[in-house]
């Protein structure tokens, strides 16, 4: 939220727990950041349909919500140059395999898994229009352990 404030952006947070969102709202208000964050309560798979985008940064932080079900509807709402992160890719490889398969099927995405904590997938989307304008895509980093 601090970055959003500094850059003139907004943060949208979706959680199914009204209690967690109430705590987040209180913390954001205390920090003076409540005007930069939209808190949405509900099932993320359903809420995504009502979100407008474009989004330049998305973080999936729960395996239980099946992020692959939300990624598909989010793809057309991503900015041309976007980061999509997913936590827990090493601790829950089976649960996140469908998510990673969707990312890998996108020709405009590169990704890497950072072995920190429970494993963080960092995927970068560089739209063809930006690549044609001279921006360069990264390359798929080697994955010697075959983790994802």
């Amino acid at each position: 939220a601090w970055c959003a404030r500094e850059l003139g952006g907004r943060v949208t947070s979706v959680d199914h727990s009204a209690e967690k969102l109430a705590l987040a709202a209180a913390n954001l208000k205390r920090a003076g950041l409540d005007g930069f964050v939209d808190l949405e309560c509900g099932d993320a798979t359903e809420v995504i349909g009502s979100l407008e985008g474009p989004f330049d940064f998305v973080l999936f932080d729960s395996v239980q919500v099946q992020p692959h079900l939300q990624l598909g509807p989010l793809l057309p709402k991503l900015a041309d140059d976007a980061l999509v992160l997913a936590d827990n890719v090493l601790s829950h490889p089976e649960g996140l395999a469908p998510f990673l398969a969707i990312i890998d099927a996108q020709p405009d995405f590169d990704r890497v898994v950072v072995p920190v904590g429970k494993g963080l997938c960092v995927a970068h989307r560089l739209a063809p229009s930006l690549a044609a304008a001279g921006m360069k895509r990264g390359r798929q980093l080697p994955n010697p352990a075959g983790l994802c």
Side-chain angles (χ1 to χ4, degrees), residues 4-5 11 21 30 33 59 71 84 87-88 99 101 110 120 138 144:
R5 178 184 62 194
V11 173
L21 287 176
R30 188 170 51 251
L33 297 169
L59 170 65
L71 182 59
V84 177
D87 200 8
N88 304 313
F99 172 88
D110 286 318
L120 182 67

Side-chain angles (χ1 to χ4, degrees), residues 69-90:
L69 297 177
Q70 293 129 31
L71 182 59
L74 267 175
L75 287 173
K77 297 181 180 198
L78 292 177
D80 282 347
D81 190 16
L83 286 174
V84 177
L85 281 66
D87 200 8
N88 304 313
V89 295
L90 297 179

Side-chain angles (χ1 to χ4, degrees), residues 2-41:
W2 285 297
C3 290
R5 178 184 62 194
E6 295 303 313
L7 298 173
R10 296 202 59 76
V11 173
T12 300
S13 180
V14 180
D15 201 300
H16 64 278
S17 169
E19 295 81 22
K20 287 182 181 178
L21 287 176
L23 180 60
N27 288 334
L28 289 162
K29 184 172 177 90
R30 188 170 51 251
L33 297 169
D34 53 323
F36 302 95
V37 180
D38 299 316
L39 300 174
E40 301 286 340
C41 188

